Amino acid sequence: MIQDLHSHTYYSFCGKDTPESIVEAAIAGGIEVFGISDHNYGIGYSRIDAFNLPDSESIHGTYERTLRRYFDHINLIKEKYRGQIEVKRGIEICTLHDGVSFKVHSLPEKEDVSFFDYCLVENLDSSISVTKGDLFAYAKRLGTPLVGIAHTDMFAFIRSRGEDPLEYFSRMAADNIFWEMNVSYDSIHNYRIHRYMVDFFDDEEKQDVVRRSGVRVSVGFDGHRVEDYLPERIKEYNDKLTALGIKKPFES
Ligand SMILES: [Zn+2]
Ligand SMILES: [Zn+2]
């Protein structure tokens, strides 16, 4: 089952395309399970007045309404393309704390996202992450059936906490937390490719720890421009996971 659980549409400030055009590119590229995972702040503050004045009384409730509107749109798309591709309703959660410069980026404390199929969490390893490094508590707060950790070198993160990788990954598996590795070449975030992802696919010892722990791994494109999309690359990395005996999040 070829999966790509990391993509962005015009609901993200850094995205530009309609969800439909991105899903159609995925169908054309032979992807079978496709997750749309727009940035929480892009969706939540899609009204520019809300972005500029996040504390204003007059926009109270906007965040919740815009999250629901996004979810409903992705839900319609899921129905529209049923039988051609399985669309998953996701959201990427920025966890940088509500300091002065990141005021509007993290998820407001009481905002409910549990109705999404999954969340991707980013900035887990940042010293100013609202998770304070406690992945398991934060995943519970999000409340989605699955939670993925994106843009994070999990081996380095686990080591920095003085914990044992096999135990930590096993606990992730038990709590339905997967590791999302993006294999992106997107033109918005400077065609970055994560070094840890390349290392992982090169390192048999790490692969063995991940396989034994039972933690699920996804490989996504993190696309922000439909013209950047390389489904062949996604398929190649899906096949690598299968060959390694590592399961993907929505596999039975
Ligand atoms: Zn982005
Ligand atoms: Zn992303």
Side-chain angles (χ1 to χ4, degrees):
M1 204 204 311
I2 307 295
Q3 304 187 12
D4 181 353
L5 304 180
H6 202 155
S7 68
H8 295 273
T9 74
Y10 59 33
Y11 281 99
S12 295
F13 293 143
C14 45
K16 86 169 195 336
D17 303 297
T18 62
E20 287 85 345
S21 60
I22 289 175
V23 169
E24 283 166 17
I27 293 169
I31 307 296
E32 293 163 295
V33 177
F34 190 71
I36 297 178
S37 58
D38 278 302
H39 293 294
N40 66 287
Y41 49 90
I43 306 163
Y45 293 113
S46 59
R47 280 175 45 185
I48 196 70
D49 56 336
F51 187 73
N52 290 332
L53 301 162
D55 292 332
S56 161
E57 280 293 319
S58 65
I59 57 155
H60 184 73
T62 293
Y63 205 105
E64 188 189 338
R65 285 203 302 276
T66 53
L67 282 188
R68 290 281 174 181
R69 194 171 60 199
Y70 162 75
F71 179 84
D72 289 347
H73 187 179
I74 305 305
N75 206 33
L76 287 173
I77 284 165
K78 179 184 173 70
E79 294 306 321
K80 181 174 173 183
Y81 295 100
R82 188 182 288 278
Q84 297 179 70
I85 196 166
E86 195 180 328
V87 172
K88 297 292 181 189
R89 301 156 301 190
I91 182 168
E92 184 168 21
I93 309 287
C94 173
T95 67
L96 295 175
H97 87 109
D98 277 337
V100 176
S101 53
F102 297 110
K103 193 155 189 73
V104 294
H105 284 75
S106 64
L107 190 66
E109 220 170 286
K110 291 195 179 67
E111 215 56 65
D112 180 17
V113 290
S114 63
F115 49 91
F116 285 94
D117 293 321
Y118 70 102
C119 291
L120 294 180
V121 170
E122 57 175 349
N123 329 108
L124 174 68
D125 53 358
S126 163
S127 60
I128 57 164
S129 172
V130 293
T131 64
K132 298 192 173 71
D134 189 345
L135 166 59
F136 302 104
Y138 196 73
K140 278 205 181 68
R141 173 263 177 267
L142 294 173
T144 42
L146 291 176
V147 171
I149 306 307
H151 305 298
T152 302
D153 179 346
M154 286 306 296
F155 278 95
F157 174 73
I158 295 166
R159 213 179 307 119
S160 76
R161 296 179 56 81
E163 303 210 39
D164 175 68
L166 181 59
E167 272 171 35
Y168 196 93
F169 280 122
S170 302
R171 198 173 160 200
M172 283 173 65
D175 281 15
N176 293 318
I177 302 171
F178 64 94
W179 188 10
E180 153 67 15
M181 292 192 202
N182 83 59
V183 293
S184 76
Y185 268 143
D186 87 85
S187 58
I188 288 305
H189 300 298
N190 301 319
Y191 291 95
R192 66 193 163 162
I193 186 151
H194 291 307
R195 186 68 234 167
Y196 72 79
M197 185 280 290
V198 177
D199 286 346
F200 175 78
F201 282 102
D202 240 20
D203 188 329
E204 287 179 19
E205 241 171 84
K206 286 181 177 168
Q207 293 161 4
D208 190 54
V209 168
V210 164
R211 182 172 38 238
R212 282 194 292 143
S213 73
V215 73
R216 308 250 175 159
V217 176
S218 66
V219 283
F221 198 68
D222 194 17
H224 287 68
R225 294 285 180 271
V226 73
E227 58 270 28
D228 291 341
Y229 196 40
L230 298 174
E232 284 309 317
R233 198 171 164 78
I234 295 299
K235 283 201 247 174
E236 179 193 335
Y237 280 92
N238 268 264
D239 290 347
K240 284 185 190 190
L241 287 178
T242 303
L244 289 171
I246 295 170
K247 279 201 161 186
K248 291 170 268 182
F250 289 100
E251 252 173 10
S252 52

